[in-house]
Amino acid sequence: MSTSAFKNKDEIRTLFSAAMSEMYKSEVPQYGTLLDLVACINKGTMERDPRLEQNLSLGGELDRLSMERHGAIRVGTPGELSTLRRLFAIMGMEPVGYYDLAPAGVPVHATAFRAVEEKSLNKSPFRVFTSLLRLELIDDAELREVAQAALQARNIFTPKVIELIQLHESNGGLTFEQAEVFVAEALETFRWHSSATVSLETFNKLQQQHRLIADVVAFKGPHINHLTPRTLDIDAVQASMPSKGIVPKAVIEGPPKRKVDILLRQTSFKALNEHIAFPGDGGEVNGSHSARFGEIEQRGAALTIKGRELYDRLLLIAKAELGAPPSEVNAHQYAEILQRVFQDFPDDIKSLHDNDLVFVRYYPALDKIPNFQDSDLKAWPLKGLISEGLIKYSPLVYEDFLPVSAAGIFQSNLGDEASDTGLSGSSRNEFETALGSGVRDEFSLYQDIQARSLDSSLKALRIV
Ligand code: OOG
Ligand code: NI
């Protein structure tokens, strides 16, 4: 079979992302409200700042903005995680990065499945933050066995999707028809179930261990727990949420508001309390569970390792100065501290670039070439090409997640009993063994995109 008979992976991901969004909109109406609010604020932001719109367009990000979102799921066993890896591969999504949430008291480690090529990211940047529960952290042996048995007894994939995963692996792709079936069947894995697989009593015991454990163990599948649209002005959305009947968490996670956005700023609204039917001896027993919430995010520049170290250090300083977890009570003070501490992080594109703090995409100023015909540009260093305006650059958008922010999002949705005490013993090695492959290093992905853009700029200027 020739590859042209296969449906393009980027297109399958686009379809799946749209189908997931539709499903979540019908299941969680507040998500739809949030989407409308974000679209409206994005439009207004671009109208006020045409240069922003121009920059987004230049980087190929304008078209993807309205369909940009990430989701999150939590799975219980290595088998579930590795099958998910094979499922996401059909949509061109690879595991990128290792996130250890244990230091923040959340008993999971995670990766993000996403596209890795710039062209694919611009077609559909859909990502799924995927956590694996660390069951070994249940200290009650009997309860651990109950949890293990519940997880072993479930199958989170439909038979048809397993068949399509195998077909994809043996043929190297899915036909148009198979892809359509795949999207519908894969969606089933992420659907919400309003009935639990364990008794209310077991559920309560699992909750007492950790709310996250109950959320993963007690249901038929790893329901998508949020879908997050990308906004261009998170402060405006945060401020407008209450007027739409949505109550956001107290503080925005990540860096403060800046002239040049870096990494990722995120905020969420609290999980809904939903009715659940539990199996009981004399029939169904009514109870409830809160798992599904909403989130928004604003994405900025991807940082180099050096930039990231500076970010992590400044965030730590700010948190230490606050002296308590950020909450309603100290939200104002935290914002002030963040602003002040982050003054040590350069906030103009030139300094960020010259200090090697951000990754950029280089592009040639082709209109400038005629003026330089006589000079031997080959001998010019990059700095000279830039200062003469022959090569320009703009920051690469950060496509990944932040462990400290993720912990904050988890915790705001787990309620007050979530602790800050560090758990231990997690290992990337163990995670990769469960996954059945290594995770890709996000820094080298950005580095590659930057290097390729420089290469093609030099070629376009006929310098190499
Ligand atoms: C995942 C939380 C992490 C983010 O945006 O950082 C996350 C979860 O609650 O399962 O989605
Ligand atoms: Ni999220």
Side-chain angles (χ1 to χ4, degrees), residues 120-164:
S120 298
L121 284 162
N122 285 345
K123 183 94 210 299
S124 164
F126 181 59
R127 325 161 171 84
V128 180
F129 191 92
T130 305
S131 303
L132 174 64
L133 182 63
R134 291 178 55 215
L135 217 52
E136 75 273 16
L137 294 175
I138 302 185
D139 46 27
D140 174 343
E142 205 177 308
L143 191 61
R144 193 167 56 236
E145 264 163 46
V146 171
Q148 237 142 15
L151 289 171
Q152 288 312 327
R154 74 179 190 179
N155 184 353
I156 66 171
F157 304 100
T158 67
K160 188 76 197 169
V161 95
I162 296 290
E163 190 186 313
L164 290 166

Side-chain angles (χ1 to χ4, degrees), residues 131-202:
S131 303
L132 174 64
L133 182 63
R134 291 178 55 215
L135 217 52
E136 75 273 16
L137 294 175
I138 302 185
D139 46 27
D140 174 343
E142 205 177 308
L143 191 61
R144 193 167 56 236
E145 264 163 46
V146 171
Q148 237 142 15
L151 289 171
Q152 288 312 327
R154 74 179 190 179
N155 184 353
I156 66 171
F157 304 100
T158 67
K160 188 76 197 169
V161 95
I162 296 290
E163 190 186 313
L164 290 166
I165 288 172
Q166 284 160 353
L167 268 179
H168 169 258
E169 286 169 355
S170 50
N171 296 346
L174 292 185
T175 64
F176 283 60
E177 222 169 290
Q178 288 163 350
E180 224 167 90
V181 179
F182 168 79
V183 169
E185 294 283 330
L187 207 57
E188 291 307 309
T189 296
F190 303 91
R191 195 179 286 287
W192 177 251
H193 300 280
S194 57
S195 55
T197 56
V198 301
S199 69
L200 183 56
E201 194 197 342
T202 303

